[in-house]
Amino acid sequence: MKTINTVTGTATAEQLGTTLMHEHLMIGWAGWELDCAAPKFERKAALRNCVERLKEIKDLGVQTFVDPCPMDIGRDVNFMAEVASASGMRIICATGLYKEDLGTTSYFKQRTIDEIAEVYTLEITKGIGDTGIKAGVIKCATGKGQVTKYEEMCLRAAGRAHLRTGAPITTHTDDGTMGREQLDIFASEGVDLDHVIIGHSCGSADLGYHTAMLDRGCLIGFDRFGLDFLHPDKLRLAALIGLLGVGYASQIVLSHDTVACWLGRGLSMPPETAKLVQNWTPTHVLKNIVPALRNAGVGEDKIRTMMVENPRRFFN
Ligand SMILES: [Zn+2]
């Protein structure tokens, strides 16, 4: 049986239970620490806030929380471990680098694919820095409408680190684009696509985009529920119900991509946009989306498949 790295030790796939596959405790864009005009980061208050949030979803039955924060946008695995211990939530963290336009690229651009793959591999097998905490999943990302040379290097490195360690791969995509290109890159590295989640696929309303990926055996993330200003939940749900109706339940995972705290100033949005993120909380899927699926006639077996069985198979 494979062991899965969590921030507080190892787990087996059978232990994962109901899993939110893509949420964040903390994000900080590179440079945040230089913004002396921003509110000071209050670690204790942030810890309390995160523990409260995780207790709330734990009460709804969530047992595992995957935080695929890449290494270069504020990842703090000690913070994650403290939150996991205090809340009783199992947390899985990631290795990997973010997309070019928002990542910290200058150093790794000058490395080779194999040098990057070695970093990812070490974070999974030896641990992150001197924390002793090991990554359980590999993150990679592309921007809208293109895969840059740098992003392709990081995707290939993710594929190679996956082959060396068995850790699965979860990705970021923008606006429901480039998922198929991500799969092409992984496939050319020899990655078995059933250990890949093409994240944020719910950002597209094009069922042809979804089925072209699903028919290659990967999983896709309907993992931005509540982010109505990017793409309305109504369209995410319509696509999800359609895909479930034609037999893809075993390849879809659900989540929200929420961020509990921001380093520096975080998101600023105009009031009309702010209205559109009222449901962007980690309880939304269980409180609102699952009931909406039931109303549409989706059976309990399919809901369980997406929330329990698919995460288990992905990590196994
Ligand atoms: Zn994310």
Side-chain angles (χ1 to χ4, degrees), residues 63-77:
Q63 289 161 276
T64 303
F65 179 100
V66 179
D67 182 344
C69 181
M71 53 209 295
D72 54 337
I73 56 169
R75 185 189 64 178
D76 182 338
V77 296

Side-chain angles (χ1 to χ4, degrees), residues 88-119:
M89 178 67 70
R90 180 180 296 109
I91 300 178
I92 296 172
C93 73
T95 184
L97 290 159
Y98 204 43
K99 60 178 179 160
E100 181 157 7
D101 64 349
L102 287 175
T104 312
T105 61
S106 43
Y107 179 80
F108 284 106
K109 257 184 186 168
Q110 303 176 59
R111 306 275 73 81
T112 65
I113 295 167
D114 280 319
E115 283 168 348
I116 299 172
E118 190 187 356
V119 171

Side-chain angles (χ1 to χ4, degrees), residues 27-92:
I27 298 285
W29 305 117
W32 73 270
E33 68 281 8
L34 308 175
D35 184 359
C36 60
K40 194 171 166 287
F41 178 65
E42 301 288 352
R43 189 183 170 93
K44 270 194 180 148
L47 268 171
R48 260 199 315 274
N49 168 26
C50 288
V51 170
E52 241 167 66
R53 265 167 103 98
L54 292 202
K55 281 185 172 166
E56 207 183 333
I57 53 172
K58 203 174 162 223
D59 288 344
L60 291 170
V62 175
Q63 289 161 276
T64 303
F65 179 100
V66 179
D67 182 344
C69 181
M71 53 209 295
D72 54 337
I73 56 169
R75 185 189 64 178
D76 182 338
V77 296
N78 282 323
F79 183 88
M80 290 186 202
E82 283 175 60
V83 173
S85 301
S87 65
M89 178 67 70
R90 180 180 296 109
I91 300 178
I92 296 172

Side-chain angles (χ1 to χ4, degrees), residues 22-24 27 67-70 73 98 139 171-172 200 223-224 256-259:
H22 194 127
E23 308 293 339
H24 302 287
I27 298 285
D67 182 344
C69 181
I73 56 169
Y98 204 43
K139 174 72 174 285
T171 80
H172 168 101
H200 314 333
D223 50 11
R224 280 191 147 178
H256 316 80
D257 200 15
T258 55
V259 178

